[in-house]
Amino acid sequence: MLDSSQYSSRRQEQKDKMNDVKLAVLGGEGTGKSALTVRFLTKRFIGEYASNFESIYSKHLYLEGKQLNLEIYDPCSQPQKAKFSLTSELHWADGFVIVYDISDRSSFAFAKALIYRIREPQTSHCKRAVGSAVLLVGNKRDLCHVREVGWEEGQKLALDNQCQFCELSAADQSLEVQMMFTRIIKDILTNFKLKEKRRPSGSKSMAKLINNVFGKRRKSV
Ligand SMILES: Nc1nc2c(ncn2[C@@H]2O[C@H](COP(=O)(O)OP(=O)(O)OP(=O)(O)O)[C@@H](O)[C@H]2O)c(=O)[nH]1
């Protein structure tokens, strides 16, 4: 049995873990995954990004009264990699930003396949106990004169698959990009709370245990 100091340090560990937020930014090649991530982290839009290596960015931020350790995974495009295996991402991430380019229909098809993969009936060992938070983003809204994917199509795909949705431009809309990331992080925090509620809390389990042991003894005296 844990003594009280072990017990409280275990609880503290659980709480600290709760403040780790892992987000994967996925989508087709050249849709603007790095542009969005870098825009969020630095508020800058940088025209070209090296796309031959994957990155995990870290950021500390304060949201809803909590200090969060945010990690953002930005993969490199690997056409040779099995496109929708996603196994490691599903294990790693608490939430997903799925990006397509509104001026490129094939990127929308790719986003759709990614969402279907994420929403497949979950395997018991995956992180997604209550369904992970997913936000579908139609990027490059500044290119709406050459739009190939309608706003309604994005909205419908998101609605049909319990995702959030927005259209924006990493190039032109810094504030919208900040809001988009904040929205998905808030959804992840809500999921954490739901998971915490569903799991019998440490203190309740401990109380139950004590009750079982001492309650029964008392009866037999
Ligand atoms: N017009 C416009 N171009 C954008 C926007 N966001 C990104 N781009 C451009 O799209 C191209 C690809 O952007 P990246 O951020 O490298 O896209 P990515 O999805 O990370 O690319 P890969 O890692 O190669 O798959 C670059 O030339 C960007 O400058 C946007 O909102 N509007």
Side-chain angles (χ1 to χ4, degrees), residues 29-35 47-49 51 77 139-140 142 169-171:
E29 204 177 336
T31 49
K33 301 180 292 295
S34 302
E48 294 305 322
Y49 304 86
S51 60
S77 292
N139 187 33
K140 309 197 186 181
D142 54 297
S169 162

Side-chain angles (χ1 to χ4, degrees), residues 25-38 45-53 74-78 99 101 103 138-143 168-173:
V25 180
L26 306 175
E29 204 177 336
T31 49
K33 301 180 292 295
S34 302
L36 286 164
T37 305
V38 172
F45 177 73
I46 300 158
E48 294 305 322
Y49 304 86
S51 60
N52 50 353
F53 56 88
D74 175 14
C76 60
S77 292
Q78 291 174 298
V99 188
D101 170 351
S103 68
N139 187 33
K140 309 197 186 181
R141 190 159 73 171
D142 54 297
L143 300 182
L168 47 67
S169 162
D172 288 352
Q173 295 183 297

Side-chain angles (χ1 to χ4, degrees), residues 55-211:
S55 312
I56 293 185
Y57 299 93
S58 294
K59 182 181 170 84
H60 292 285
L61 71 158
Y62 192 71
L63 198 66
E64 297 191 328
K66 283 199 177 81
Q67 194 70 43
L68 305 177
N69 314 310
L70 173 67
E71 288 188 330
I72 303 181
Y73 170 63
D74 175 14
C76 60
S77 292
Q78 291 174 298
Q80 75 279 15
K81 190 178 163 186
K83 273 184 179 174
F84 308 117
S85 74
L86 280 188
T87 310
S88 50
E89 288 86 343
L90 286 175
H91 280 278
W92 181 82
D94 301 304
F96 299 86
V97 172
I98 306 292
V99 188
Y100 67 93
D101 170 351
I102 65 153
S103 68
D104 173 9
R105 177 151 292 279
S106 68
S107 74
F108 185 63
F110 192 94
K112 193 184 276 186
L114 286 173
I115 288 177
Y116 288 171
R117 174 73 179 96
I118 292 168
R119 289 296 185 228
E120 266 172 17
Q122 63 201 40
T123 45
S124 56
H125 50 278
C126 273
K127 249 184 168 185
R128 304 162 293 135
V130 287
S132 43
V134 180
L135 198 156
L136 176 66
V137 179
N139 187 33
K140 309 197 186 181
R141 190 159 73 171
D142 54 297
L143 300 182
C144 60
H145 50 286
V146 284
R147 178 190 280 277
E148 289 184 2
V149 185
W151 183 90
E152 298 76 11
E153 289 177 86
Q155 169 77 346
K156 182 170 182 334
L157 176 61
L159 269 179
D160 290 347
N161 293 281
Q162 299 84 47
C163 305
Q164 302 265 18
F165 172 67
C166 70
E167 272 191 3
L168 47 67
S169 162
D172 288 352
Q173 295 183 297
S174 181
L175 187 63
E176 278 76 359
V177 174
Q178 305 296 318
M179 282 161 51
M180 180 274 282
F181 275 97
T182 304
R183 196 166 149 196
I184 182 79
I185 295 164
K186 282 185 174 173
D187 279 357
I188 292 172
L189 294 178
T190 304
N191 276 355
F192 284 172
K193 281 184 202 150
L194 282 174
K195 279 185 201 171
E196 188 73 2
K197 266 190 195 161
R198 286 176 189 197
R199 190 188 314 138
S201 79
S203 56
K204 272 188 195 153
S205 322
M206 187 64 88
K208 236 182 187 174
L209 197 64
I210 291 168
N211 216 20

